[in-house]
Amino acid sequence: MQTIPTGMPNWEPLERAVPVSWLPDFMHMGEHGTIQLYKHRDTRCYLNIDSDSMRFYRYRDGGYVEVSQTTAILDSLGIRNWDIPVSSIALAPARLRAASVLTAFLDFQKNVDNRLTAY
């Protein structure tokens, strides 16, 4: 994988994808083509967002595979088996924080969906 570091981080895709209160939890690690690479400070997991299309990606087997926004964000929070109810996951402190962040994200996503359907 060839990641090209940038002099000026591109925060716009992250700002459009997550609530503003989450922005300090991510570091900009560089870019791969138009895909911006952000790493979560606690989980050390990546959130990869295409700056042109706002599509989300997971790095797998030497390349980037498109995934849903929800999957990408939950992956970055360290929640891989997100179809399992959060209450049934043995939560370490970082995962406990991620679970509360997950709840906030789902509320955020619901508000975005409501705004989109209002138009």
Side-chain angles (χ1 to χ4, degrees):
M1 170 181 84
Q2 181 183 9
T3 301
I4 304 166
T6 58
M8 292 293 293
N10 181 355
W11 293 106
E12 184 180 350
L14 185 66
E15 291 167 346
R16 293 172 53 195
V18 301
V20 68
S21 62
W22 294 17
L23 298 177
D25 292 333
F26 287 91
M27 302 173 281
H28 186 269
M29 302 305 292
E31 59 187 22
H32 181 77
T34 59
I35 299 174
Q36 301 300 312
L37 312 175
Y38 307 100
K39 185 190 281 188
H40 193 276
R41 292 182 188 281
D42 293 333
T43 65
R44 315 304 283 173
C45 298
Y46 279 82
L47 177 58
N48 306 308
I49 308 171
D50 188 293
S51 57
D52 291 342
S53 68
M54 284 303 294
R55 291 190 170 128
F56 296 80
Y57 294 87
R58 175 187 289 159
Y59 186 76
R60 179 186 297 152
D61 300 326
Y64 289 90
V65 178
E66 187 175 351
V67 296
S68 72
Q69 178 179 4
T70 301
T71 296
I73 290 175
L74 293 177
D75 279 357
S76 75
L77 298 175
I79 302 173
R80 300 277 188 236
N81 296 317
W82 59 272
D83 54 333
I84 299 171
V86 172
S87 60
S88 69
I89 300 173
L91 298 174
R95 289 190 182 241
L96 184 57
R97 181 165 184 251
S100 65
V101 169
L102 167 61
T103 302
F105 168 69
L106 294 175
D107 289 342
F108 169 77
Q109 189 64 42
K110 181 179 174 183
N111 289 334
V112 169
D113 291 343
N114 288 340
R115 280 184 273 157
L116 292 175
T117 57
Y119 290 102

